[in-house]
Amino acid sequence: MTPPARRDGTPEKKKRDSDMFVSNAKPARRQHVDKRERANKKKATADSVARDLGADWLVGDNPKGERLQKVLAKAGVASRRHAEIMIDAGRVEVNGKIVMQQGVRVDPNVDVIRVDGVRINVNEETRYFILNKPRGLQSTMSDELGRPCIGDLIGDRVAAGQRLFHVGRLDADTEGLILITNDGELANRLMHPKYEVRKTYLATVLGEAGNGLVRTLKEGVELEDGLAKADYVQIVDKNQGYSLVRVELHEGRKHIVRRMLKEAGFPVQRLVRTKLHTLQLGEMKPGILRALNSNELASLYKAVGM
């Protein structure tokens, strides 16, 4: 059938389905805005977000910081494009406030950035390592008596200006995991009893231990400086008059594991710290130093409320 003709003689066009939907959008007050004005309005919006965050960055022609999506990409969170999507979705916080504006600039050395509530390490100056401390080394960066110490193993990094230090101590006869960093705030919180960060030890003791030792350590052993309790105890193995015992506790007193086991009647012959919170030695050999991965670091941050 021939479509009806208009008054001017041309056929009337058939309406598309999409033309049937009515837009409820209000027209803009000003339909025509030149590019310069649009850029100025965009800059003003970003500057407003920066002020709300309490930062002293500049967003514009002379920025002091880096764009947030670039910082996230450098930290390995996601590509820049996916970082932008995360920002649009409200998944990114800077200094405790959600940022949904693209183009906000941050200072990675100062600002605290979280994705989905998990803090991300974006400070390129901070360093985090696990060291498997060998037996016989002092837990110091230098020793006045000239004894072998941790500083001897990581001296090249200290000389390079990283100013690393150890978190907590292991006595010279104790081997195993010790955290090396230059993050003072994290170190202080990990050692503070308030956060009850757990450490796990494998102790080779004299004597064949049983359930009695497990019960004693969990109920608590009275020492000269007060009662000491283990959070978890397991007899791993027994052989020819010796036992391998796993002890987990959040205590931080000096020689605490050795003293507890001695008081319980099982003197320690060898002691290895295998775990700090979720950090584990795994297959690391004595003397080896390795960097923490992003998941391990995020777990530490979460444990101490950073």
Side-chain angles (χ1 to χ4, degrees):
M1 178 178 179
T2 304
R6 295 178 178 175
R7 290 185 179 180
D8 60 2
T10 60
E12 185 177 1
K13 293 182 180 179
K14 184 179 181 180
K15 291 186 177 181
R16 295 170 297 179
D17 291 340
S18 60
D19 295 333
M20 302 300 292
F21 293 97
V22 179
S23 172
N24 293 318
K26 295 181 180 180
R29 292 183 180 181
R30 299 179 63 184
Q31 295 292 327
H32 304 287
V33 181
D34 62 32
K35 292 182 179 180
R36 181 177 301 176
E37 185 173 349
R38 189 182 297 116
N40 288 339
K41 290 184 71 176
K42 185 176 182 181
K43 175 182 181 300
T45 301
D47 284 344
S48 175
V49 172
R51 284 194 298 271
D52 289 343
L53 289 171
D56 60 354
W57 333 302
L58 295 176
V59 182
D61 298 330
N62 186 27
K64 288 184 178 180
E66 294 184 75
R67 291 186 183 278
L68 179 56
Q69 59 266 43
K70 181 179 179 182
V71 171
L72 292 174
K74 287 172 65 176
V77 174
S79 66
R80 289 194 194 185
R81 177 61 190 140
H82 282 91
E84 290 172 354
I85 294 173
M86 288 179 170
I87 293 170
D88 285 338
R91 296 171 59 186
V92 181
E93 296 178 19
V94 179
N95 299 331
K97 295 187 177 181
I98 295 175
V99 175
M100 297 181 68
Q101 171 70 33
Q102 300 294 339
V104 170
R105 296 181 182 268
V106 297
D107 183 346
N109 297 325
V110 175
D111 299 308
V112 175
I113 300 173
R114 289 184 170 87
V115 175
D116 296 331
V118 177
R119 185 174 177 180
I120 305 300
N121 177 36
V122 295
N123 187 346
E124 295 181 350
E125 297 180 359
T126 54
R127 297 288 184 269
Y128 307 88
F129 300 97
I130 289 174
L131 172 67
N132 187 353
K133 186 187 88 66
R135 188 173 186 173
L137 243 59
Q138 303 294 321
S139 291
T140 57
M141 301 308 294
S142 62
D143 188 77
E144 296 179 354
L145 302 178
R147 295 171 296 182
C149 63
I150 289 174
D152 297 333
L153 286 179
I154 63 173
D156 57 336
R157 296 181 183 273
V158 175
Q162 292 193 8
R163 299 181 63 185
L164 299 169
F165 51 84
H166 53 89
V167 180
R169 291 175 178 268
L170 295 176
D171 62 72
D173 289 332
T174 300
E175 311 161 48
L177 191 155
I178 192 164
L179 182 65
I180 307 292
T181 186
N182 57 1
D183 188 335
E185 177 65 17
L186 178 63
N188 289 335
R189 293 194 184 202
L190 285 173
M191 291 186 291
H192 199 290
K194 169 185 175 181
Y195 298 101
E196 298 187 350
V197 177
R198 291 191 177 189
K199 302 102 177 170
T200 302
Y201 297 82
L202 278 179
T204 302
V205 301
L206 185 62
E208 296 195 3
N211 291 333
L213 176 62
V214 175
R215 185 167 52 252
T216 297
L217 295 182
K218 292 181 72 174
E219 290 177 354
V221 178
E222 192 65 47
L223 304 175
E224 63 272 17
D225 53 355
L227 188 69
K229 293 183 178 181
D231 299 313
Y232 176 82
V233 184
Q234 179 188 15
I235 309 301
V236 178
D237 193 18
K238 293 184 284 187
N239 187 32
Q240 298 182 353
Y242 292 90
S243 299
L244 184 62
V245 185
R246 178 180 286 112
V247 180
E248 184 177 317
L249 72 173
H250 60 267
E251 285 267 15
R253 284 181 275 173
K254 188 175 181 180
H255 304 312
I256 186 69
V257 177
R258 291 181 180 276
R259 290 192 292 146
M260 288 175 68
L261 286 166
K262 183 179 179 180
E263 186 66 25
F266 294 87
V268 172
Q269 307 300 298
R270 184 187 179 194
L271 186 61
V272 182
R273 183 158 71 187
T274 60
K275 190 174 179 182
L276 172 65
H277 188 50
T278 57
L279 307 184
Q280 300 189 59
L281 281 182
E283 300 299 321
M284 289 178 63
K285 295 181 180 179
I288 296 297
L289 184 75
R290 74 163 177 87
L292 269 65
N293 62 44
S294 59
N295 290 334
E296 290 172 328
L297 184 55
S299 178
L300 287 184
Y301 283 151
K302 185 177 181 180
V304 296
M306 289 181 67

